[in-house]
Amino acid sequence: QVQLAESGGGLVQAGGTLTLSCVASGSIVSINAMGWYRQAPGKMRELVATITRGGSTVYEDSVKGRFTISRDNAKNTMTLQMNSLKPEDTAVYYCNADVRINLWQQRPYWGQGTQVTVSS
């Protein structure tokens, strides 16, 4: 079993900073892409940022220049540094990883989510 665990969410004022962390554990051969997604009430889950094993990144337009995604392949960890937070960033943030669990299988895994609330 592979598990992803997020941490770092909380309540901050607009303009503030939070850093989210995700650690993957379990039966892992390797992890390809990882990413952060978020879901606000009544909205569909949306991409925030993704990062490949080699470090290539993709950001949703609204977070470009404010958020930075990174990973440590040796530790199977990923972070999302969120600067200049806005109320519209309020959502549950989820860690995602495409995990190779053996030579024949690669599967997506999701964390439980961590709440980020940005007040005005």
Side-chain angles (χ1 to χ4, degrees), residues 58-76:
V58 175
Y59 293 92
E60 196 275 325
D61 286 343
S62 69
V63 309
K64 287 181 179 177
R66 299 189 297 120
F67 291 10
T68 302
I69 188 171
S70 62
R71 65 188 287 175
D72 186 330
N73 294 333
K75 297 179 180 179
N76 288 331

Side-chain angles (χ1 to χ4, degrees), residues 50-62:
T50 61
I51 183 167
T52 68
R53 183 172 181 84
S56 297
T57 59
V58 175
Y59 293 92
E60 196 275 325
D61 286 343
S62 69

Side-chain angles (χ1 to χ4, degrees), residues 22-63:
C22 173
V23 57
S25 61
S27 184
I28 299 170
V29 175
S30 63
I31 301 176
N32 190 10
M34 302 184 76
W36 291 97
Y37 294 75
R38 65 187 180 187
Q39 188 166 22
K43 304 290 186 179
M44 295 184 63
R45 189 172 298 185
E46 66 175 1
L47 169 75
V48 178
T50 61
I51 183 167
T52 68
R53 183 172 181 84
S56 297
T57 59
V58 175
Y59 293 92
E60 196 275 325
D61 286 343
S62 69
V63 309

